[in-house]
Amino acid sequence: MSEKTSWDWETELKEIPFNEWKTHFNWVQAPQVSQNGESIAAVVNLDEMVFSVCVNGQVWEEEYEKIWSLTSVSDSGFAAFVARDEEWTLSVNGQEWTHWCDFIWQMMKSLDGQFLGAAFQTDSEYGVIVNDTPWEDRYENLTGAVMAADGTSAAVVQVVPMPGADVEAFKKGVFSVACNGVPEDRRFLNIWDISFDTAGRQMGYGVRTDRESYGIVQNDTLWKNRFESVWKPEFLDENSLLAPVRINGKWQLYKNDAPFWQNKYDQLWHLTLSPDGKDVAAIVSAPYGRWRVAVNDTVWHVAWDTMISDIYFSQDGSSLAAVYKHKDVWDLAVNQTPWQMAADMVFVPCLSQDGSVVAVVIQKKGQYQLVVNKKTMASGFSFMADPVISADGSKVLLKGIENGIYKRRIIRV
Amino acid sequence: MKTKENPMTDTPSSVEKPTDPAIESGLERLTPDRIQQVIQDVLKKETGPRFKAYVETCMHCGLCAEACPYFLSNDRDPQFMPAAKVKNTIWEMLKKNGNVSKDFLRRAVRISHLECNVCKRCSMYCPFGIDIAYMMLLVRRICHKLEITPQYIQDTVNSHSVTLNQMWVKDDEWIDTLQWQEEDARDEFEDLEIPLDKMGADIMYSVIAPEPKFQAGLIYQAATMMHAAGINWTMPSTPGWDNSNMAMYTGDNEISGRIARAFFETAAKLRVKRIVMGECGHAFRSVYDMGNRWNSWVMPPFEVVHALAFYHELLTEGRITIKEKYKKKVTLHDPCNVSRGRGLHDKAREVVNMVCEDFVDMVPNREHNYCCGAGGGVINCGPPYKGERMVNNRVKAEQLAATGAEVLIAPCHNCHSGLEDIVHHYDLKMEIKFLGDLIYETMDKKIYTPGA
């Protein structure tokens, strides 16, 4: 999305008759919208076991037995997993990768759209493929694949064979982390939640070292402390790894194997760092069953009874938005202020770079609405993709379907 | 009831007691200090007023005995009284301050994992409502920390910890199975879709791992119902799709919490409104009671609708209509976790009566129903224990036989599997079906049109 300054922010409305596609194909699956809103795409059925992708009314040249995971990539493109003669690959804008496999899943994309990756399986051996280059080493099991911004990939892999129901073999540790296909030496009972630093050079992850001991691995080194449990670690910078850890039934934030936050919580997860690295936020439960946002170990004064699903910083770190559920309805709060939308669902909010504008799609009674800074800007849509705010914060890009017509609309804030 | 050749006359002593390698190797590694330390730690750090109240309130009246299918199935052998199970496990650990022998622990593992289904029937018969299942789960927690959990259920938990599903189903196998069922179901509706990862769908449908592993047809049936009913639904392609949780039953609370977190966060990521789950009982207990609470969710963060309630909704709203009612005489087994645990028994009967012509209740029924003998993790302890599980379920066999039904509806996976074993072992000549099987068989295969 780094190029969004080059997008068309002037044309107030562009329309594509989406529902009309249903008259051209046997059926049309759920739509996907490109990041810049210029294109809408869907998997379409042409005949029995014959599928393709329709983008703005134009169908990809190639036809497939199956297509799934259609996703927007880069500013205006789409990628999908496609199958022909029972073999799978990834197709980007209709161009197939050269490598085909027995199955492919978990599409991963870098923010700048330069790298596309996925997990794959061929002849019951598992690996990761990035930009059409598969790992050389394959494994009998693979979970939790991740990809860094520079295309470095990693996953949890099984490096020692284990007969069925062999709990003794499991106790010895048969799993390791493979980075770009190369396994690390150390093995564990479990490995979860691999994190990269921003440069893609450092790795951190959670492990279980025996039946009841959990730890954190930071750049191939296991922290000395053991915990009752751990959640996903995040790099504060290349030398500092943060991780929520459980001690005596309470959760605390550790940094480099030492307490970082002093408070202990009944839950602490979803570590989120401001882009400038100055602030650390997390979703916490304090007291038990009450959900709050904590920023630098200080909790928001507002608390909710059901759930906070995710939190987002603005680029400058000045604003923090939380999607939450309270008393059976969903809402958004920005800098501790609830918007009181009483929605059936709140999607992923978009924050302007300076944090002054927040736009979000919500659902109420089956219809989609766009809300900007608490004000409903559009409603009555049958579908909306997440909005985008222009670089200068003056306009919001709405991408939605109204009365069967896809609309790309620019709304001035 | 019958002659020696008849399984009704089997007794616990006539059934071979297997040696479990995981229990034995675990016991071998233990030292007296380790045993005492673990027990003291659990009792001191992980119990509170609830446990104290239970221990101090029990009057040893024995009224719980009549509630227990194990006691009734074993000719009222006192060792199977719930109070005796507590006395022979956690009370003794408490009394001796954790200084118990390996032989004691060997027996404690068996009592807590194989001679109690944690079905909570006994709590209803206790004058004080003491939750004996909670105390048996506390014993299992101690066994987990001592690493003496039976082999097969421990392997299931190992699978949960690695894959977040209970049967080592790999990520690609899961998705491939859904696509296979989708393809097959297009024989019924050519545009049928099992939508994967559809953001903003009304419903996330979740199942337990035995479905993709062994019973993929159930996914086919569910997809057919969803499609016919015009539901805006989805299934996740990512881990978090399996709502089962055997870690909850081995006392591995940390893995149990991890499973429940993945489940609800998958729903949150997909921005669905509610979750519908297939016909499984223990999974409901995990996401409605235990796994959620370990994570500090007092109540489930998403509305979780068990299949029984969902079928009721589809039929009463007219989204699915029954073309012709099922003719054979049927009876209904009430699974503990959705009947005693959630009160869905009356809705279940309404659904059965909407679908079937000839329904006969078993006695006792609803929240008083006898346990299937398989739930609570007992069947998951594996084939070595099947023989004694059959002996311990004689009362269930007698209850089923008395109905004279040709078909037994068991709307829970563990119940279903356990009852299959009982029906076969006691030669009851009953077919066992999920409620979804019958709805699928009898429904009008047409697309719901609002207002039509």
Side-chain angles (χ1 to χ4, degrees):
Chain A
M1 236 114 52
S2 56
E3 296 176 9
K4 72 179 179 182
T5 48
S6 66
W7 297 0
D8 179 0
W9 290 97
E10 298 307 320
T11 309
E12 286 191 0
L13 180 65
K14 294 179 184 176
E15 296 185 333
I16 297 168
F18 179 75
N19 274 16
E20 196 183 291
W21 297 4
K22 291 176 184 168
T23 61
H24 302 151
F25 308 108
N26 292 334
W27 74 86
V28 178
Q29 296 187 359
Q32 299 292 323
V33 178
S34 67
Q35 290 165 14
N36 65 9
E38 299 285 355
S39 307
I40 183 166
V43 174
V44 294
N45 176 264
L46 307 172
D47 203 343
E48 188 177 345
M49 291 294 285
V50 181
F51 294 87
S52 191
V53 172
C54 181
V55 182
N56 290 358
Q58 300 296 311
V59 182
W60 284 0
E61 277 184 19
E62 299 295 334
E63 296 173 349
Y64 302 98
E65 293 155 10
K66 291 176 188 172
I67 302 176
W68 77 285
S69 198
L70 178 67
T71 309
S72 67
V73 291
S74 65
D75 282 350
S76 59
F78 295 93
F81 297 132
V82 297
R84 185 186 299 123
D85 299 330
E86 299 187 353
E87 286 201 309
W88 288 88
T89 192
L90 190 148
S91 176
V92 187
N93 299 322
Q95 301 297 308
E96 297 158 2
W97 280 359
T98 57
H99 286 91
W100 292 70
C101 52
D102 289 348
F103 206 78
I104 187 166
W105 70 102
Q106 198 189 334
M107 197 179 297
M108 301 178 281
K109 50 189 182 181
S110 61
L111 271 180
D112 62 4
Q114 293 294 305
F115 296 95
L116 272 179
F120 74 92
Q121 176 264 115
T122 290
D123 297 331
S124 299
E125 292 186 326
Y126 291 77
V128 173
I129 181 167
V130 176
N131 283 5
D132 205 11
T133 304
W135 285 0
E136 285 183 16
D137 292 324
R138 314 282 165 81
Y139 300 91
E140 68 174 274
N141 202 349
L142 180 147
T143 58
V146 291
M147 190 179 73
D150 67 348
T152 302
S153 59
V156 180
V157 294
Q158 186 176 337
V159 290
V160 178
M162 182 172 66
D166 190 342
V167 296
E168 291 299 317
F170 184 85
K171 267 172 67 72
K172 291 172 188 157
V174 300
F175 297 99
S176 182
V177 166
C179 186
N180 290 333
V182 181
E184 296 189 336
D185 292 335
R186 194 143 191 179
R187 302 196 296 263
F188 298 97
L189 274 73
N190 292 108
I191 302 170
W192 302 284
D193 302 323
I194 302 168
S195 277
F196 283 110
D197 70 341
T198 49
R201 282 193 284 271
Q202 320 284 337
M203 268 198 305
Y205 45 85
V207 299
R208 189 161 61 139
T209 55
D210 62 40
R211 180 72 69 87
E212 52 175 341
S213 298
Y214 292 69
I216 294 290
V217 171
Q218 181 173 0
N219 299 330
D220 223 2
T221 302
L222 179 64
W223 284 3
K224 288 200 171 97
N225 280 303
R226 293 290 172 273
F227 310 101
E228 292 164 5
S229 190
V230 296
W231 294 134
K232 187 177 193 297
E234 297 287 351
F235 280 93
L236 186 58
D237 56 54
E238 63 178 23
N239 298 315
S240 306
L241 185 68
L242 306 175
V245 300
R246 194 168 199 258
I247 302 166
N248 291 327
K250 296 281 186 181
W251 289 89
Q252 191 174 7
L253 188 60
Y254 264 48
K255 182 174 92 172
N256 295 349
D257 206 10
F260 181 55
W261 286 2
Q262 300 312 308
N263 287 317
K264 292 162 184 161
Y265 301 97
D266 287 292
Q267 188 52 270
L268 193 171
W269 54 30
H270 286 269
L271 287 184
T272 305
L273 278 61
S274 62
D276 59 9
K278 288 181 183 164
D279 296 307
V280 177
I283 296 168
V284 301
S285 168
Y288 179 84
R290 301 287 290 172
W291 294 92
R292 299 170 190 269
V293 175
V295 183
N296 302 329
D297 208 12
T298 300
V299 295
W300 281 7
H301 61 78
V302 281
W304 300 296
D305 66 4
T306 310
M307 176 185 225
I308 303 174
S309 60
D310 27 347
I311 52 179
Y312 302 90
F313 272 110
S314 60
Q315 191 66 28
D316 68 353
S318 66
S319 285
L320 180 60
V323 178
Y324 69 91
K325 188 180 184 186
H326 182 63
K327 298 199 183 302
D328 295 329
V329 292
W330 287 90
D331 195 17
L332 184 77
V334 180
N335 296 336
Q336 310 202 44
T337 304
W339 284 14
Q340 297 181 324
M341 296 184 289
D344 298 329
M345 183 45 66
V346 172
F347 290 82
V348 175
C350 179
L351 285 74
S352 64
Q353 286 192 330
D354 66 359
S356 65
V357 181
V358 179
V360 70
V361 167
I362 68 168
Q363 262 184 324
K364 270 190 177 182
K365 294 180 181 169
Q367 294 197 325
Y368 286 74
Q369 301 179 8
L370 174 67
V371 183
V372 181
N373 286 0
K374 289 192 188 178
K375 188 176 173 189
T376 303
M377 307 299 281
S379 59
F381 281 64
S382 60
F383 165 81
M384 272 189 191
D386 292 329
V388 183
I389 299 172
S390 62
D392 65 2
S394 66
K395 294 164 189 165
V396 175
L397 169 58
L398 177 156
K399 302 180 278 188
I401 296 174
E402 185 181 33
N403 299 323
I405 310 286
Y406 168 70
K407 296 183 175 176
R408 182 192 190 273
R409 187 186 291 171
I410 302 297
I411 296 172
R412 292 178 192 282
V413 177
Chain B
M1 191 168 170
K2 293 183 188 168
T3 61
K4 187 62 188 165
E5 286 73 38
N6 192 301
M8 292 291 186
T9 59
D10 280 350
T11 62
S13 55
S14 69
V15 175
E16 191 184 344
K17 293 277 197 292
T19 301
D20 191 305
I23 299 173
E24 293 307 319
S25 62
L27 287 169
E28 207 169 293
R29 286 188 286 265
L30 289 175
T31 62
D33 286 349
R34 173 73 181 151
I35 294 169
Q36 190 164 27
Q37 179 214 327
V38 165
I39 295 173
Q40 285 180 354
D41 275 359
V42 170
L43 293 179
K44 188 177 164 192
K45 295 180 183 172
E46 301 189 15
T47 64
R50 180 189 189 186
F51 178 62
K52 192 165 183 282
Y54 290 161
V55 170
E56 291 177 358
T57 308
C58 178
M59 297 165 56
H60 307 190
C61 66
L63 283 176
C64 55
E66 293 297 329
C68 183
Y70 287 83
F71 175 77
L72 299 174
S73 296
N74 284 286
D75 301 328
R76 313 174 83 80
D77 182 341
Q79 69 170 319
F80 290 99
M81 290 167 61
K85 295 175 198 175
V86 176
K87 180 175 180 295
N88 291 327
T89 57
I90 200 77
W91 279 349
E92 195 70 1
M93 292 177 185
L94 195 60
K95 200 166 97 185
K96 293 191 171 170
N97 197 25
N99 186 17
V100 295
S101 69
K102 290 185 182 183
D103 283 342
F104 171 88
L105 287 174
R106 186 179 285 108
R107 181 78 190 111
V109 176
R110 294 189 61 84
I111 292 170
S112 60
H113 289 82
L114 298 156
E115 295 173 10
C116 173
N117 287 105
V118 291
C119 76
K120 298 197 179 194
R121 192 170 191 260
C122 49
S123 295
M124 292 196 311
Y125 287 70
C126 171
F128 303 103
I130 292 173
D131 186 351
I132 292 169
Y134 160 76
M135 293 202 272
M136 287 298 103
L137 288 172
L138 199 58
V139 179
R140 294 188 190 184
R141 171 71 169 165
I142 289 166
C143 294
H144 155 72
K145 284 179 163 273
L146 291 170
E147 303 193 50
I148 51 174
T149 302
Q151 177 191 7
Y152 280 86
I153 192 168
Q154 183 56 50
D155 180 62
T156 305
V157 176
N158 290 348
S159 170
H160 274 303
S161 72
V162 174
T163 64
L164 289 172
N165 72 74
Q166 65 159 272
M167 291 205 143
W168 298 101
V169 177
K170 294 177 178 175
D171 293 353
D172 57 319
E173 294 169 342
W174 162 243
I175 304 160
D176 194 34
T177 301
L178 295 183
Q179 293 179 343
W180 161 42
Q181 291 311 304
E182 176 186 67
E183 196 181 319
D184 281 2
R186 283 185 182 142
D187 287 344
E188 312 231 21
F189 295 104
E190 66 165 12
D191 57 345
L192 183 145
E193 206 187 326
I194 297 182
L196 291 176
D197 305 328
K198 184 181 176 187
M199 291 288 291
D202 291 336
I203 284 170
M204 176 178 102
Y205 184 62
S206 80
V207 299
I208 71 170
E211 295 201 13
K213 195 82 175 178
F214 306 120
Q215 298 161 299
L218 294 174
I219 297 171
Y220 172 115
Q221 289 179 182
T224 305
M225 282 187 242
M226 291 286 189
H227 188 79
I231 302 294
N232 176 14
W233 68 299
T234 189
M235 293 184 84
S237 72
T238 54
W241 55 265
D242 180 7
N243 51 42
S244 71
N245 190 341
M246 278 300 137
M248 165 182 83
Y249 282 147
T250 63
D252 192 343
N253 302 339
E254 292 75 15
I255 295 298
S256 168
R258 188 171 289 268
I259 296 164
R261 178 189 177 186
F263 177 69
F264 284 119
E265 293 209 327
T266 298
K269 186 182 69 184
L270 293 174
R271 292 325 206 228
V272 298
K273 318 298 179 307
R274 53 187 186 148
I275 300 166
V276 172
M277 56 191 297
E279 294 180 52
C280 184
H282 93 273
F284 191 79
R285 185 177 186 161
S286 163
V287 298
Y288 193 79
D289 179 12
M290 295 178 71
N292 54 311
R293 291 188 170 131
W294 188 86
N295 282 308
S296 200
W297 283 311
V298 176
M299 292 302 288
F302 285 81
E303 182 188 358
V304 180
V305 185
H306 188 270
L308 285 179
F310 189 60
Y311 298 150
H312 190 272
E313 181 181 316
L314 295 180
L315 289 163
T316 53
E317 287 182 0
R319 283 181 172 268
I320 282 183
T321 51
I322 300 302
K323 197 172 182 181
E324 189 177 11
K325 280 190 173 184
Y326 192 71
K327 297 273 192 291
K328 290 181 184 173
K329 185 177 187 177
V330 302
T331 189
L332 171 71
H333 168 81
D334 294 290
C336 61
N337 287 314
V338 294
S339 174
R340 204 167 297 126
R342 180 57 173 153
L344 293 182
H345 34 257
D346 287 331
K347 267 190 180 167
R349 275 161 184 74
E350 286 174 33
V351 172
V352 171
N353 281 313
M354 283 187 266
V355 175
C356 303
E357 264 185 13
D358 189 2
F359 167 60
V360 57
D361 238 330
M362 57 181 75
V363 180
N365 56 52
R366 296 176 167 79
E367 70 269 34
H368 298 284
N369 183 33
Y370 291 136
C371 180
C372 63
V378 173
I379 195 170
N380 304 81
C381 291
Y385 300 102
K386 185 178 169 187
E388 61 185 286
R389 183 158 52 80
M390 293 302 96
V391 172
N392 292 333
N393 279 272
R394 194 185 70 202
V395 68
K396 187 74 204 178
E398 291 167 350
Q399 180 200 25
L400 296 177
T403 64
E406 296 169 86
V407 175
L408 167 58
I409 302 169
C412 163
H413 273 278
N414 278 339
C415 298
H416 203 278
S417 303
L419 293 170
E420 283 271 12
D421 290 339
I422 291 172
V423 164
H424 180 73
H425 182 80
Y426 291 98
D427 197 20
L428 295 181
K429 307 215 169 6
M430 295 173 108
E431 282 180 80
I432 305 186
K433 289 184 181 286
F434 288 104
L435 199 40
D437 292 331
L438 294 180
I439 295 173
Y440 171 77
E441 197 173 325
T442 56
M443 68 186 268
D444 210 348
K445 305 278 190 329
K446 65 177 184 187
I447 306 286
Y448 166 71
T449 311

